[in-house]
């Protein structure tokens, strides 16, 4: 089959690789019909995430048709399914608490040591996201093996276009959980750092959860315009000082809740961010947490900070004093995708959540390397790139 494989920093290629097969009784094989490039895929593209190996198949946002099932899979051939990016068994201690991204069985035992050392516990098993998260082949391919297929994937009704439901695999539930973790109450003012796909879904979700005002922060004009479509006020951090603007917009109080949808690769010519970039480039640091620092400082006393943005290592100059002295609640984590799928699918089908607005480019799988470069180099124009296996490449 054809699949997008990683070969180093900014080097991804569509190669011919072995077809996947059934390994465990609960497995299924999915013929991929749509797969997206995620912002967190760019962390792999930029080689910020360790344990990648040449030839690894990328991609964790995908859906498709069931073509083969193991004897204990509950799926049926021909069904269309969206597959959560988090691999969870559905029956361990954590799955029993609906903390699916903490599943004890999603990560193979031989991939647990590094997570145990770095984080104190093994992390979640994820599709196409390094050997730190299990070394699973991803979905930017013609076919993919799905473990625990009797629990994770959600069956999509006939007649529903892929573009409506593809983002159930990751970014929609991630944006929803970000808003949920922010503890939004009716009448709240919520600030969202980053108007990428997760941030834009967090904006939508915050309004649906009762926020009175949402303030979206970015420097890319098109993304800020998309946030305005859903009723958000906006701050362009290249034109205004974000902290001062938030104080002015909230009467000196600060937002009730702040959501950091940026993660470890913050942008902007700020003193702390420039220092972070220097440390990362000289291997004296791992992450650039400017947006998180700013969210903590901006949040009102007694407020909540939600962090759906991906962080991978150790943060320098973390304002723990502000967290403690202001009595902030900080909540984060990989998304418990399976927990949210039924309700979010219903919301899409009922027209309560818009998803298709996000897609800026649809490309064939064979053009995946071009899609990565486009998404990486032109974030204002490329809000979301969806790859379609089988789509003919333009001449």
């Amino acid at each position: 089959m054809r699949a997008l494989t990683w070969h180093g920093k900014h080097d991804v290629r569509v190669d011919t690789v072995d077809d996947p097969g059934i390994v465990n009784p609960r497995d299924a094989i999915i013929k991929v019909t749509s797969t997206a490039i995620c912002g967190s895929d760019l962390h792999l593209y930029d080689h910020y995430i360790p344990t990648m190996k040449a030839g690894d198949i990328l991609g964790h946002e995908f859906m498709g048709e069931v073509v083969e099932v193991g004897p204990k899979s509950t799926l049926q051939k021909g069904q269309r399914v969206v597959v959560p990016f988090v691999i969870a068994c559905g029956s361990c201690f954590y799955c029993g608490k609906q903390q699916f991204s903490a599943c004890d069985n999603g990560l193979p035992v031989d991939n647990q040591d590094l997570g145990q050392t770095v984080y104190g516990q093994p992390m979640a098993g994820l599709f196409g996201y390094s050997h730190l998260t299990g070394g699973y082949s991803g979905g930017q391919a013609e076919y993919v093996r799905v473990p625990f297929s009797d629990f994770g994937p959600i069956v999509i009704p006939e007649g529903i276009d892929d573009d409506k439901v593809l983002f159930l695999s990751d970014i929609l539930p991630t944006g929803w959980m970000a808003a949920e973790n922010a503890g939004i109450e009716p009448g709240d003012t919520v600030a969202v750092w980053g108007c990428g796909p997760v941030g834009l879904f967090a904006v939508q979700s915050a309004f649906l959860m009762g926020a009175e005002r949402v303030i979206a922060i970015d420097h890319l004009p098109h993304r800020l315009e998309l946030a305005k479509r859903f009723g958000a006020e906006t701050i362009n951090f290249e034109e205004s000082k974000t902290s001062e603007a938030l104080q002015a917009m909230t009467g000196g109080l600060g937002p009730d809740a702040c959501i950091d949808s940026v993660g470890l690769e913050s942008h902007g010519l700020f003193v702390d961010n420039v220092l972070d970039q220097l440390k990362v480039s000289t291997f004296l640091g791992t992450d650039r947490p400017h947006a998180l620092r700013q969210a903590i400082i901006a949040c009102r006393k007694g407020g909540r900070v939600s962090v759906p943005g991906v962080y991978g290592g150790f943060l320098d100059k973390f304002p723990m004093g502000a967290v403690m002295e202001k009595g902030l609640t900080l909540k984060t984590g990989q998304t418990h995708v399976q927990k949210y799928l039924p309700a979010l699918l219903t919301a899409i089908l009922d027209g309560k959540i818009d998803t298709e607005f996000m897609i800026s480019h649809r490309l064939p799988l064979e053009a995946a390397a071009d899609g990565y470069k486009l998404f990486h180099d032109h974030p204002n124009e490329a809000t979301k790139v969806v790859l379609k296996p089988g789509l003919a490449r333009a001449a």
Side-chain angles (χ1 to χ4, degrees):
M1 70 171 183
R2 301 288 281 171
L4 184 76
T5 58
W6 184 92
H7 291 273
K9 184 175 180 179
H10 300 163
D11 184 2
V12 294
R13 312 169 194 170
V14 178
D15 293 330
T16 299
V17 301
D18 292 339
D19 290 352
I22 299 293
V23 176
N24 298 310
R26 298 171 67 184
D27 288 351
I29 306 298
I30 307 298
K31 180 181 180 181
V32 178
T33 55
S34 295
T35 179
I37 303 173
C38 182
S40 56
D41 286 330
L42 297 183
H43 302 323
L44 303 177
Y45 190 67
D46 289 332
H47 204 188
Y48 276 107
I49 305 299
T51 73
M52 291 295 294
K53 298 179 181 179
D56 284 347
I57 300 174
L58 300 178
H60 59 269
E61 295 182 354
F62 61 93
M63 65 176 293
E65 178 186 342
V66 179
V67 294
E68 188 176 352
V69 294
K72 292 188 178 179
S73 175
T74 54
L75 296 178
Q76 300 175 13
K77 292 182 182 180
Q79 287 180 320
R80 295 172 60 238
V81 294
V82 173
V83 180
F85 79 95
V86 171
I87 298 170
C89 72
S91 57
C92 70
F93 170 83
Y94 294 103
C95 287
K97 291 182 173 292
Q98 293 194 309
Q99 297 172 342
F100 300 115
S101 68
C103 175
D104 259 341
N105 297 316
L107 194 66
V109 173
D110 57 356
N111 290 90
Q112 293 186 3
D113 289 348
L114 182 57
Q116 183 83 37
T117 300
V118 175
Y119 302 130
Q121 298 286 344
M123 61 185 302
L126 311 177
F127 287 99
Y129 213 77
S130 86
H131 293 263
L132 182 64
T133 63
Y136 292 98
S137 293
Q140 289 167 3
E142 292 181 311
Y143 297 90
V144 63
R145 179 178 75 92
V146 177
F148 305 117
S149 66
D150 57 319
F151 174 69
I154 186 168
V155 177
I156 302 303
E158 290 299 322
I160 305 301
D161 191 78
D162 280 15
D163 290 350
K164 277 188 173 293
V165 294
L166 172 61
F167 301 140
L168 287 169
S169 58
D170 176 3
I171 55 172
L172 175 54
T174 296
W176 184 269
M177 183 169 136
E180 183 178 86
N181 281 349
I184 295 170
E185 300 171 355
D188 272 353
T189 296
V190 180
V192 179
W193 273 257
C195 292
V198 169
L200 290 170
F201 279 133
V203 168
Q204 277 198 77
S205 300
F207 278 122
L208 288 171
M209 291 182 186
E212 182 174 319
R213 300 173 68 196
V214 177
I215 302 170
I217 303 153
D218 207 304
H219 68 298
L220 299 172
H222 178 58
R223 294 191 177 200
L224 290 170
E225 285 301 318
L226 289 176
K228 288 180 181 178
R229 282 182 46 178
F230 298 103
E233 303 162 62
T234 61
I235 297 173
N236 186 324
F237 66 71
E238 290 186 340
E239 299 175 355
S240 304
K241 293 184 177 179
T242 301
S243 295
E244 292 179 6
L246 287 171
Q247 286 292 300
M249 295 168 80
T250 61
L253 189 66
D256 300 288
C258 295
I259 298 174
D260 168 18
S261 298
V262 176
L264 62 84
E265 291 188 81
S266 288
H267 295 281
L269 292 175
F270 306 100
V271 173
D272 65 320
N273 206 32
V274 171
L275 290 173
D276 288 336
Q277 289 174 329
L278 288 172
K279 288 190 173 186
V280 169
S281 65
T282 55
F283 303 102
L284 295 175
T286 58
D287 298 17
R288 307 198 311 257
H290 171 76
L292 179 56
R293 294 189 194 109
Q294 198 170 67
I296 289 170
I297 296 301
C299 195
R300 73 161 171 82
K301 291 179 285 188
R304 292 89 60 193
V305 178
S306 169
V307 189
V310 173
Y311 288 91
F314 297 92
L315 307 190
D316 193 13
K317 301 178 292 297
F318 184 79
M320 191 62 203
V323 174
M324 187 271 171
E325 296 296 345
K326 289 167 53 171
L328 302 182
T329 298
L330 178 66
K331 199 166 185 180
T332 184
Q334 292 284 5
T335 309
H336 308 308
V337 179
Q338 292 86 340
K339 175 181 177 182
Y340 302 106
L341 287 183
L344 289 176
L345 175 59
T346 298
I348 291 171
L349 298 180
D350 289 346
K352 295 179 179 179
I353 293 179
D354 182 10
T355 55
E356 294 177 272
F357 80 96
M358 191 76 70
I359 302 172
S360 57
H361 296 78
R362 296 171 179 84
L363 301 175
L365 178 64
E366 292 294 329
D370 296 335
Y372 267 78
K373 184 172 177 55
L374 175 69
F375 196 38
H376 182 273
D377 295 349
H378 302 282
N380 187 54
E381 296 82 10
T383 52
K384 195 67 175 178
V385 178
V386 173
L387 306 173
K388 301 278 189 177
L391 183 67
R393 186 167 187 168

